[in-house]
Every structure is written in structure tokens, then in C-alpha cells.
Amino acid sequence: MELRSLGKTGLKLPALSFGASSLGAEFRPVDINEAIAAVPAALDVGMNFIDTSPFYGRGMSEVLLGTALRGIPRDRYLLGTKLGRYDKSHFDFSARRVVESVDVSLHRMGVEYLDICLCHDIEFVEMQQIVDETLPALREVQKQGKVRFVGISGYPMKIFKFVLDQTDLDVVLSYNHYTLQNTMFGDLVPYLKSKNVGIMNAAPFSARLLTNDPLPPWHKATPEVRRIAKQAADHCAKHGSDLAKLALQFSIANPDMTTCVTGSARPERIREWAKWAAEPLDQQLLKDVQAILQPIHNWFYVEGRPENNDPNSA
């Protein structure tokens, strides 16, 4: 697996990283033993950065990771989690909860430090609190050695400039915004580079939109978006390929995206992704699919508080 430098952190992340939201049964019910086996499977194929959150499975993801990582040397993997979001509508970005959250995550996963800790889905709250209270508290935890690098994650593009215009970050994580269907995060790269921040992408499949799998019930894609995505999937199938393969290859092809985070609780799926990552991108198929998806290019939706979202959202 290709390794890429993450901003100025000194970390080298694989082009494809393991997202442990799947261990929290965020997309489907999971078999516990199979889910635990997915972690060493990811490490074996070189996906040695693991991303999770206390929100995923409401703690289940971190607990299962703690079980899966038991006995695996700490230098075999890089580990990132988040704080601030704990349930669908439960957010707490207070300084006190920052300290508690990091300690609880360390305990659940059985580790002494986190490589990365992110403020999770900050678009759901008054974002000035993140700048004035949450990040300063997280920097104090960083000084204690419990966290190596800190940053933010969320859906709207607006959140990154809001924070970075006021304070420094080590890393940022965006999801659903550098895919075959939406490349808005790519447009932000020059700004992010000017801030010397590490750039992480997640969700190349846009929560299954760019696959042949059924969408989770919470997916916000409109009927038109779903229809066009299916046209793209059918075109790939007609040409002996898979839309998911093209989507994954596209999202990791841009070297400005240090890593692309995606996850599964199925070890065989993870091995398939690693195989796809090593294969050449079909440029003609990419051109055809991008043309099919053009009517919904950069379509997005509102997430969190309306004032924290980008203009012209659907």
C-alpha cells in the first residue's frame, strides 16, 4: 500500500485507511467475530491507519477495536478517534468533556495514546465554541502526550475555513466530498495547503451511493440522485466492472488526499479493496461515468445547523 505524508505531522498514512464505523453497525447488523477479524485483515493489506469515533455504534466501535487490537504491537498501526458527538443529537464540546472523552476512548481501545483526535461533526453546534474552548482543551491534552495531532471533521466545506481562519490545526477530515460524484473537497486543497494542514478524505462510496449495495435508511440522496447513480452502476456492470471499484480508485488517485478512509466489517471486502487499489484506473470508464454523473456533480445536502452549511445546498 502506497504511503503518503500527512501535512507537517511527520506521519505517513496509507493511501487507503480502515474506517471502523462499520464495527459500530452503522450500515448493517454485523457479526461480532467477523467484525473483529476485519481489523487484522486491514492491517495485513497495509491499511494501517484506523479511524473511529465514540459516536460509531455509541461506543461499540471503540470497544470492538480494543478487542481486535489486543496483542497487536502498537507500532503496527496508527489510530485516530474523535470527540464531541456521542449520539444522533447528543453533542458536548465542552473542555471538561474533551478530557473525559479522550480518557474513555483510550480505555476502550486499550492504548496509551492516540495518533489523531478530531472534533467530530462540528457543524451541529455553535462553531465558535470549537475555536474558543474545544481546541484549546484538546491542545492541553496533546501536551500531556495522550494525543499526537488534533483537528476537525465534518460535512460542509464551510467549517474548515471557519476554523482555520482563526486557529491552527494539524489535520482535517472530510467525507463524501471527494468522490466520483462530488469533488468539492478537492477545490479546497490550495487553501488547506496554505495552512500547512494534513488532508484526509473519507467515504469514497458516499455511504453506498456509488456501489451496488442498498443505501442505509438514513441516506439523504434524492430520487434523482439515486436514479443517476444507478445508471452509472449499470454502465460499469455492462462493461464488466463495478462502480465501487471505480469510485475507490478515483478517490485514492489524487495524491493531495493523503488517505481515503473506508471501512467494512467483512475481511473479504477489505482484501478486495486492497486488490482494487493496486490495479490501474480505467480512464475511459472513468470518463464515461463522470459524464453520466455530471447532472448531479457536487450535489450535496444540509447537515447540522443551516448557518454552518455551504450556499446552494439541496
Side-chain angles (χ1 to χ4, degrees):
M1 187 71 65
E2 178 190 357
L3 297 177
R4 297 171 180 169
S5 297
L6 181 64
K8 303 297 182 181
T9 66
L11 298 180
K12 287 188 177 295
L13 269 54
L16 193 63
S17 292
F18 180 68
S21 64
S22 52
L23 273 61
E26 290 293 324
F27 292 86
R28 63 175 180 85
V30 299
D31 176 274
I32 298 297
N33 292 323
E34 187 179 42
I36 291 173
V39 179
L43 297 181
D44 287 345
V45 299
M47 296 169 64
N48 68 333
F49 172 60
I50 302 168
D51 169 81
T52 188
S53 168
F55 172 61
Y56 302 148
R58 317 310 175 255
M60 179 178 169
S61 174
E62 289 186 334
V63 170
L64 288 185
L65 269 178
T67 300
L69 293 172
R70 195 175 300 149
I72 298 176
R74 185 62 178 87
D75 60 2
R76 273 205 66 197
Y77 59 89
L78 299 169
L79 182 61
T81 194
K82 307 179 184 74
L83 55 79
R85 186 172 196 180
Y86 303 100
D87 210 329
K88 183 177 181 180
S89 301
H90 178 198
F91 296 87
D92 187 346
F93 287 98
S94 66
R96 177 177 176 178
R97 191 59 188 267
V98 165
V99 176
E100 293 173 348
S101 190
V102 170
D103 285 343
V104 168
S105 292
L106 292 174
H107 177 74
R108 283 174 176 165
M109 294 186 285
V111 295
E112 295 183 353
Y113 66 92
L114 303 168
D115 294 288
I116 294 171
C117 189
L118 304 174
C119 302
H120 193 185
D121 290 348
I122 68 171
E123 66 269 21
F124 283 86
V125 300
E126 171 53 59
M127 294 197 296
Q128 195 59 45
Q129 182 190 17
I130 307 301
V131 176
D132 296 341
E133 181 179 0
T134 315
L135 285 168
L138 192 48
R139 289 295 189 188
E140 289 301 313
V141 173
Q142 184 182 33
K143 290 177 184 177
Q144 298 169 15
K146 295 179 181 180
V147 172
R148 295 177 68 192
F149 302 103
V150 309
I152 62 170
S153 69
Y155 183 74
M157 296 295 94
K158 182 178 179 179
I159 70 173
F160 301 112
K161 284 189 175 182
F162 180 90
V163 173
L164 283 165
D165 280 348
Q166 299 183 69
T167 190
D168 293 333
L169 295 171
D170 302 320
V171 296
V172 294
L173 174 66
S174 171
Y175 71 95
N176 287 2
H177 274 91
Y178 193 77
T179 71
L180 281 172
Q181 178 269 320
N182 184 324
T183 55
M184 293 171 67
F185 193 46
D187 298 335
L188 201 60
V189 164
Y191 171 83
L192 296 173
K193 284 186 171 182
S194 76
K195 297 294 184 178
N196 294 317
V197 67
I199 302 171
M200 299 188 292
N201 177 43
F205 310 121
S206 194
R208 292 187 172 181
L209 179 67
L210 301 174
T211 72
N212 291 298
D213 294 328
L215 297 187
W218 44 260
H219 206 291
K220 295 185 178 182
T222 66
E224 177 72 357
V225 170
R226 294 169 190 241
R227 182 184 66 81
I228 293 175
K230 187 177 186 308
Q231 283 184 356
D234 290 346
H235 181 82
C236 288
K238 181 181 176 181
H239 289 79
S241 189
D242 187 323
L243 180 61
K245 177 180 179 178
L246 190 70
L248 182 139
Q249 291 179 327
F250 173 82
S251 289
I252 67 172
N254 185 345
D256 288 328
M257 303 294 155
T258 298
T259 193
C260 182
V261 179
T262 188
S264 173
R266 292 191 177 105
E268 68 274 11
R269 180 66 59 87
I270 291 166
R271 287 188 280 267
E272 181 179 48
W273 288 342
K275 180 174 174 289
W276 288 351
E279 294 176 1
L281 180 59
D282 185 330
Q283 295 294 334
Q284 184 57 53
L285 185 61
L286 173 62
K287 184 178 178 180
D288 293 345
V289 167
Q290 286 177 323
I292 294 170
L293 295 174
Q294 184 58 40
I296 59 170
H297 180 65
N298 285 358
W299 170 85
F300 63 100
Y301 50 88
V302 172
E303 193 74 13
R305 295 189 178 190
E307 66 269 22
N308 293 338
N309 275 259
D310 305 314
N312 303 318
S313 59

